[in-house]
Amino acid sequence: MRTYDIERYLNIRSAYGASFSADGERLSFLMDTTGVPQVWTVDSPGAWPEQRTFYEERVTFASWSPERPEAAFGMDRGGNERAQLFRLEPDTGVIENLTEHPDAKHRWGGWSHDGERFAFTSNRRDNAVFDVYVQARDGTGTDAELVHEGDGWLTVGGWSPDDSKLIVQEAYSNFDQDVSVLDLATGELTHLTPHQGTVRFQSPEWGPDGENVYMVTDRGSDTLELVRYELASGEFTTVETGGDHELEGISIDHDSRRLVYSRNVEGYTELTFGELTTSDRIDALPQPDLPNGVAGGVSFSPDGERAAVTVTASADTANVYVVELATGDAERWTLAATAGIPRDTFVPPELVRYPTFDGRDIPAFFTLPEESPEGETPVIVDIHGGPESQRRPSFSAVKQYFLSRGYAYFEPNVRGSAGYGKAYGHLDDVEKRMDSVADIEAAVEWLHDHPAVDPDKVVAMGGSYGGFMVLAALTEYPDLWAAGVDIVGIANFVTFLENTGDWRRELREAEYGSLEADREFLESISPINNVEKIRAPLFVLHGENDPRVPVSEAHQLVEEAREHAHVRELIFDDEGHGFSKLENRIEAYSQIADFLDEYVRNAPTADD
């Protein structure tokens, strides 16, 4: 089998985040051809795209105006997540900074229907909270009007059909949100979702008549369902259920009454397009002919006859497809390159379930390389972050690279992961944190029984919260691991919560426990306080500008762990929470590959 170096794999491109132009003739999308995502446009399927932004920093989104040949986009600097908003005129190349507050975060809230204004939330008044702003399309900086002062993590969910109101969503944790409606004329904020305990209210959308708000919620079930909230009566009505699976979100085109909602089936996306014929009735349109994988980022054409969708699969990189809604026919509009690596060399996973300590079955994706000698195959256990996230069958160039080098790949969705209902998501809260680490031990025991696996060559790798899981697995079960790779991970929950961004602390305490009430417990489970148990070689990577998990987490861990095990450290001074720049990703994963080859793949086994 022909092999390619990591640089080739990391030059595999992704195209995603599409938006239709006001005339419906062009799509904007993000693509990382230059090494970081930039704005591109294309005017027909497979046509040569045109690059519209030319920065060394990543662009985070792009959204066409509904009325003019212009688009808004967001961009931060050095991974600091303090995104600024910009207006782009693709035909002239003119770009204007709309926000001009580089020390504040700005979260896009959408164009008004007439294209004259846009909404956003920002923490420019107080670093710890987000306020709601409305700004004229040609305004800049201080021209933004503060329309609501918040006291938490606010986002704008969209403009009402007559542009008189905004949906405002407040998040307390990933499993607990509220939805309100803000009247722009009076400033009155109407709370739609009072509740006790933790309840998800997500993906709120205005109905076409402005009299209803649609959203997905688990207010009456374990899984997310699609509901309608009638503003006049204050009553909820269930519109669609996903059965045993979650309905993840909804998007509605007001003029055509066309909509789409998605169902998460073991990580795979099932999209349903339809038409809202009455407030509670959806007449389904033909099933879209899309690849089986993970789909999202839907944008309707101005006439509502087509929809642009981003689709990725484990064995195929992300691309934008356009669906003809009347027939379900889909055509790929972007051709994100695979760096000359044949697509048929990418290996899809097997969906498996393995038993854990309390009798539950834990879902996971397991991928074997093309050649898997019996009892000789090393395995990377790649643990997702969040923790309220989900490993899904989307494309990973890093995974395909390691598969090509003979490593198997195991991706568990341990308790606490999203996508499997409310009860499963809460199984790792606060004092139950280490139960999820025990699920990792059970994963390794399952791998030990697999005929292809070398039980002495199992690696723990993960980023962010997944980095904590790596460190916790190495300290709790030190004899199971040949090596560990911690990317922007949490080493000490106390110092993490003390030093993380002010806007994130309350959100994270809802999941991990609070400094005030749970400090002793947080200290007890922090890997930094158990670092003497680490025996496996450890590689720690971090970004100097990380606003979520401060780089101090890496420094203190490395200093302590070096007294007990072999430890490497790699810090990028122009990155934040993860690595977005191509040259940095190449360096990071080249060094990870060399590290794993030295201590795992080429290391002698117990029988040698």
Side-chain angles (χ1 to χ4, degrees):
M1 175 181 171
R2 180 176 296 176
T3 59
Y4 306 87
D5 61 26
I6 186 61
E7 186 169 352
R8 286 285 290 276
Y9 276 91
L10 292 179
N11 270 286
I12 295 173
R13 304 309 181 191
S14 296
Y16 58 96
S19 174
F20 273 103
S21 61
D23 59 10
E25 298 297 321
R26 284 185 288 181
L27 281 178
S28 68
F29 60 97
L30 303 184
M31 189 162 62
D32 53 357
T33 297
T34 62
V36 289
Q38 297 294 301
V39 181
W40 297 68
T41 62
V42 66
D43 58 12
S44 62
W48 189 265
E50 293 191 52
Q51 187 176 349
R52 301 298 185 174
T53 60
F54 301 86
Y55 297 102
E56 294 182 359
E57 303 290 352
R58 61 181 178 182
V59 173
T60 54
F61 80 92
S63 175
W64 278 99
S65 163
E67 293 293 336
R68 292 179 176 81
E70 61 187 24
F73 69 90
M75 182 174 64
D76 68 357
R77 183 171 296 279
N80 66 6
E81 300 187 12
R82 297 184 179 95
Q84 306 299 299
L85 304 179
F86 299 82
R87 181 163 54 86
L88 162 69
E89 296 177 5
D91 295 331
T92 65
V94 172
I95 295 175
E96 187 166 17
N97 188 332
L98 298 173
T99 45
E100 297 179 343
H101 281 71
D103 294 329
K105 295 170 65 75
H106 299 84
R107 298 164 60 85
W108 177 248
W111 294 98
S112 60
H113 290 76
D114 60 10
E116 293 294 333
R117 297 174 291 170
F118 61 92
F120 63 92
T121 59
S122 177
N123 63 343
R124 56 173 69 170
R125 177 181 62 87
D126 181 338
N127 194 51
V129 300
F130 285 79
D131 302 324
V132 182
Y133 294 83
V134 169
Q135 185 169 322
R137 54 167 287 277
D138 54 357
T140 59
T142 58
D143 293 339
E145 178 187 359
L146 174 60
V147 295
H148 175 72
E149 289 190 1
D151 59 3
W153 183 275
L154 301 185
T155 54
V156 173
W159 297 73
S160 62
D162 64 0
D163 289 336
S164 67
K165 300 180 180 67
L166 295 173
I167 290 175
V168 178
Q169 184 179 23
E170 181 168 7
Y172 313 110
S173 75
N174 285 359
F175 276 87
D176 191 19
Q177 301 89 31
D178 265 322
V179 175
S180 300
V181 167
L182 177 64
D183 189 310
L184 293 176
T186 66
E188 180 182 2
L189 187 74
T190 303
H191 184 196
L192 309 187
T193 56
H195 62 276
Q196 299 292 322
T198 58
V199 181
R200 289 177 289 177
F201 295 96
Q202 299 177 352
S203 187
E205 285 272 321
W206 287 98
D209 51 15
E211 298 175 357
N212 300 285
V213 173
Y214 294 82
M215 65 191 84
V216 295
T217 179
D218 57 9
R219 63 185 292 272
S221 65
D222 182 59
T223 56
L224 293 169
E225 300 177 329
L226 175 59
V227 302
R228 174 179 66 92
Y229 179 91
E230 186 179 40
L231 294 174
S233 67
E235 294 182 354
F236 284 96
T237 303
T238 301
V239 180
E240 296 285 346
T241 69
D244 294 333
H245 303 288
E246 306 254 62
L247 295 186
E248 295 184 297
I250 181 173
S251 180
I252 301 174
D253 181 65
H254 292 162
D255 291 338
S256 68
R257 303 182 70 88
R258 295 281 174 82
L259 59 76
V260 61
Y261 61 86
S262 60
R263 187 168 175 250
N264 181 339
V265 181
E266 299 286 2
Y268 292 86
T269 304
E270 291 184 358
L271 288 181
T272 298
F273 287 95
E275 186 170 333
L276 204 58
T277 52
T278 69
S279 59
D280 294 330
R281 176 178 170 179
I282 298 172
D283 284 357
L285 293 165
Q287 195 73 19
D289 183 22
L290 294 168
N292 186 32
V294 182
V298 177
S299 172
F300 288 97
S301 63
D303 61 7
E305 296 297 321
R306 297 174 295 160
V309 184
T310 302
V311 183
T312 176
S314 291
D316 199 4
T317 187
N319 272 290
V320 176
Y321 292 75
V322 173
V323 179
E324 296 289 340
L325 298 184
T327 63
D329 293 339
E331 192 166 10
R332 191 171 72 178
W333 273 48
T334 62
L335 300 173
T338 62
I341 302 174
R343 293 178 187 272
D344 61 8
T345 65
F346 301 145
V347 186
E350 177 188 3
L351 178 63
V352 301
R353 288 183 175 270
Y354 66 89
T356 190
F357 68 94
D358 60 357
R360 298 177 191 277
D361 285 335
I362 304 298
F365 291 102
F366 183 46
T367 316
L368 284 169
E370 192 170 288
E371 296 181 6
S372 306
E374 184 171 347
E376 299 179 13
T377 308
V379 183
I380 295 173
V381 179
D382 190 351
I383 310 165
H384 70 68
E388 314 96 326
S389 184
Q390 182 185 21
R391 187 53 54 88
R392 305 186 68 169
S394 54
F395 186 80
S396 167
V398 169
K399 178 171 77 170
Q400 294 298 332
Y401 169 68
F402 280 114
L403 286 166
S404 76
R405 293 176 65 83
Y407 291 89
Y409 227 78
F410 192 84
E411 302 165 281
N413 281 308
V414 298
R415 69 189 64 212
S417 300
Y420 304 95
K422 176 166 44 180
Y424 193 80
H426 284 308
L427 286 175
D428 68 339
D429 288 356
V430 192
E431 73 280 358
K432 296 177 284 187
R433 176 69 42 213
M434 302 309 285
D435 287 352
S436 62
V437 185
D439 290 343
I440 298 298
E441 181 203 21
V444 178
E445 297 297 337
W446 184 89
L447 288 167
H448 283 178
D449 291 335
H450 194 284
V453 170
D454 184 338
D456 295 323
K457 295 186 175 182
V458 181
V459 178
M461 184 164 71
S464 188
Y465 175 80
F468 156 75
M469 292 288 281
V470 167
L471 298 173
L474 263 60
T475 56
E476 292 294 309
Y477 308 103
D479 297 332
L480 294 182
W481 306 102
V485 180
D486 161 32
I487 303 171
V488 300
I490 301 168
N492 186 329
F493 276 113
V494 172
T495 55
F496 159 67
L497 290 171
E498 288 175 340
N499 298 320
T500 193
D502 293 341
W503 60 87
R504 287 180 51 81
R505 186 169 299 110
E506 186 176 342
L507 280 173
R508 295 295 81 206
E509 286 189 331
E511 168 70 25
Y512 300 137
S514 72
L515 290 171
E516 181 178 354
D518 305 293
R519 180 181 288 263
E520 184 176 348
F521 172 73
L522 293 172
E523 291 277 12
S524 72
I525 67 168
S526 293
I528 191 71
N529 296 322
N530 299 291
V531 73
E532 73 282 355
K533 298 178 182 178
I534 294 178
R535 295 291 177 266
L538 174 63
F539 195 0
V540 178
L541 303 94
H542 220 101
E544 183 70 34
N545 305 318
D546 192 336
R548 302 189 183 197
V549 181
V551 69
S552 55
E553 291 291 300
H555 292 323
Q556 65 174 325
L557 171 70
V558 169
E559 183 179 357
E560 295 281 343
R562 274 182 173 156
E563 298 181 11
H564 310 284
H566 173 82
V567 182
R568 293 186 192 177
E569 182 181 35
L570 180 60
I571 307 296
F572 293 99
D573 60 10
D574 57 349
E575 295 282 10
H577 195 62
F579 313 132
S580 62
K581 295 180 173 64
L582 178 60
E583 63 270 23
N584 293 339
R585 287 172 54 77
I586 291 172
E587 182 177 358
Y589 287 103
S590 294
Q591 291 203 31
I592 290 171
D594 291 343
F595 173 79
L596 294 184
D597 280 356
E598 179 178 356
Y599 290 102
V600 181
R601 192 172 71 161
N602 299 329
T605 65
D607 296 330
D608 290 342

